[in-house]
Amino acid sequence: MKISKLMFMFCCCIFAIISCNKKQNISIDNNLILLISNDVRPSLFMGIPFYCQGEGGKIIRIESRDLRILYNEGAFEMDYLSFLRKVLNQQIKLQSNISVYTFNIDKDVDKEYQSKNLADFMHLYCKSYGTGEYVLKKGFTENQRNSIFYFLFINNYLSVFDDYSGSFNIFSVSKYSRYHAVDK
């Protein structure tokens, strides 16, 4: 009897861990990926960071022009659009020969992300303007900030620094891509 209770508790723990892992269902907005693949100068994405998996458990913060450079320098057996889909949906890890910013996910931010739904996670770290736009609250380290932005990115939110106000603005990918729709 003790073994079956122990087995039941073990199965429940495994189920809870699997169901809490929100990283398994990453699906970056396809229109955003199309926009990036068709981006020309001047870029629609100037100053907007994207996030992808790097080696050794690191996260890479990268801009659209650097994604193109990495693709052109790499030996990828796929077209650029397929490359972007895999990279931005966190399905492949990049080896970077160019200077990009890498970081490890902050453990406290990760814990909050894993234990909260997205709305509560955003409420904890962001101030809402009620229009689908947010501002990051103050007082976070650079690593915490990047970790927050990574989790928001994999949930289809973009961030950009507003040097006029000195704040980080956050907005839905769909809101951005709606204004720059691509027919393809």
Side-chain angles (χ1 to χ4, degrees):
M1 190 70 156
K2 282 188 173 186
I3 293 176
S4 62
K5 281 185 179 182
L6 187 59
M7 186 63 145
F8 175 76
M9 289 178 62
F10 175 76
C11 289
C12 287
C13 288
I14 296 298
F15 177 76
I17 290 169
I18 291 171
S19 65
C20 286
N21 189 353
K22 299 174 187 175
K23 295 177 190 174
Q24 293 180 11
N25 298 321
I26 297 171
S27 180
I28 301 302
D29 183 271
N30 193 52
N31 198 46
L32 175 69
I33 295 171
L34 288 171
L35 284 168
I36 296 168
S37 72
N38 293 319
D39 196 30
V40 293
R41 299 292 174 245
S43 176
L44 293 171
F45 302 101
M46 185 68 111
I48 297 176
F50 300 99
Y51 297 87
C52 52
Q53 296 290 315
E55 294 179 311
K58 299 258 187 206
I59 302 296
I60 297 173
R61 183 183 73 199
I62 192 166
E63 290 195 19
S64 62
R65 71 176 183 274
D66 295 325
L67 283 166
R68 176 67 80 172
I69 292 168
L70 280 176
Y71 176 76
N72 290 339
E73 290 180 351
F76 300 101
E77 296 178 8
M78 63 188 90
D79 60 43
Y80 186 54
L81 183 60
S82 299
F83 166 79
L84 286 174
R85 283 188 177 121
K86 289 191 176 290
V87 166
L88 296 178
N89 284 309
Q90 316 298 302
Q91 295 170 347
I92 58 175
K93 293 180 181 184
L94 290 180
Q95 298 176 3
S96 176
N97 297 332
I98 64 170
S99 178
V100 293
Y101 182 81
T102 62
F103 63 96
N104 290 313
I105 295 291
D106 180 87
K107 290 178 180 162
D108 293 331
V109 174
D110 184 48
K111 182 180 173 185
E112 293 296 338
Y113 178 74
Q114 297 299 336
S115 67
K116 293 182 179 344
N117 63 38
L118 184 60
D120 290 341
F121 179 79
M122 290 183 77
H123 180 73
L124 179 64
Y125 295 111
C126 306
K127 179 180 175 182
S128 173
Y129 283 108
T131 59
E133 295 181 19
Y134 302 84
V135 171
L136 185 70
K137 294 177 181 176
K138 304 276 187 201
F140 300 112
T141 66
E142 184 176 15
N143 193 56
Q144 289 171 321
R145 207 172 38 240
N146 281 308
S147 299
I148 293 164
F149 292 152
Y150 168 74
F151 288 127
L152 293 176
F153 176 76
I154 64 173
N155 284 281
N156 286 295
Y157 283 87
L158 298 175
S159 58
V160 65
F161 182 72
D162 180 353
D163 51 356
Y164 181 73
S165 67
S167 62
F168 290 92
N169 296 328
I170 301 157
F171 50 92
S172 168
V173 164
S174 63
K175 185 172 185 174
Y176 185 83
S177 61
R178 186 174 37 228
Y179 295 113
H180 304 285
V182 173
D183 296 322
K184 194 169 185 181

